[in-house]
Amino acid sequence: MTADKNNDAAGDGAGAELGALEGIVGFHIRLAHGAVYRHFTETFSHLGLTQKQVSLLWLVGDHPGIAQIEVGNRLRMDRATTMTIVNRMQERGYLRRERSDRDGRMQALHLTAAGEAALLEAKACIESHETWLKSRFTPDEVKKLVEMLSRIHD
């Protein structure tokens, strides 16, 4: 192998020959996910928040008092994952749990002042991240991409 082919095999992607993989949709989704995840991680490194944590904070911020189980359902996370993230956000002082007014067996979630501040900073990072991502597409392509990806995850 030449040095260039060794670099391509190592995963830098520049000029890589994919052969039959070129037509595999799942392969391209994995590569795209990796690129988006890496950029997200770089953008959020100073906040120490993951994608799931940001999503949870955002959802609670938009729906104060939302039930913990409903957060998990909307974000398509199992109960154990949801509880772990809620616990972590509570330990960091970003969330507080209260007994639900509607159903005393449920935990209602609310952002604390620190959680609201973290969410505000996270939204600024999301804006930067989304600008980077959307810059690769026209507005019509973004709309179509979201529509097409929704067919996979819905």
Side-chain angles (χ1 to χ4, degrees):
M1 275 193 183
T2 67
D4 287 341
K5 287 190 179 180
N6 284 332
N7 285 342
D8 290 343
D12 76 355
E17 249 189 77
L18 297 174
L21 284 175
E22 186 64 43
I24 304 296
V25 174
F27 177 75
H28 288 281
I29 289 172
R30 184 185 66 77
L31 293 179
H33 173 265
V36 170
Y37 183 79
R38 280 188 302 278
H39 187 270
F40 181 95
T41 301
E42 291 166 10
T43 304
F44 278 77
S45 64
H46 69 286
L47 289 180
L49 293 170
T50 67
Q51 290 173 323
K52 288 180 181 180
Q53 290 170 342
V54 170
S55 297
L56 186 137
L57 290 175
W58 200 321
L59 192 57
V60 172
D62 283 352
H63 303 281
I66 189 170
Q68 181 172 315
I69 194 164
E70 182 62 23
V71 169
N73 290 340
R74 290 188 188 187
L75 296 179
R76 294 175 179 89
M77 297 187 301
D78 61 59
R79 292 177 101 162
T81 301
T82 304
M83 188 172 72
T84 299
I85 294 171
V86 168
N87 287 345
R88 178 71 176 128
M89 295 296 91
Q90 189 173 14
E91 288 167 8
R92 289 182 68 174
Y94 292 165
L95 284 180
R96 72 177 190 280
R97 287 179 170 113
E98 295 178 3
R99 190 169 300 280
S100 172
D101 291 337
R102 293 183 323 220
D103 183 343
R105 297 169 297 170
M106 292 186 170
Q107 296 287 319
L109 303 176
H110 299 271
L111 292 180
T112 63
E116 289 175 9
L119 179 58
L120 191 61
E121 196 171 348
K123 284 181 176 182
C125 290
I126 287 284
E127 185 177 333
S128 172
H129 176 66
E130 284 288 301
T131 298
W132 168 83
L133 182 56
K134 289 177 179 177
S135 72
R136 283 133 176 81
F137 307 100
T138 67
D140 286 341
E141 288 172 330
V142 169
K143 185 177 178 183
K144 188 66 175 174
L145 179 61
V146 169
E147 175 190 314
M148 291 187 298
L149 291 172
S150 293
R151 288 188 221 159
I152 296 170
H153 66 74
D154 282 346

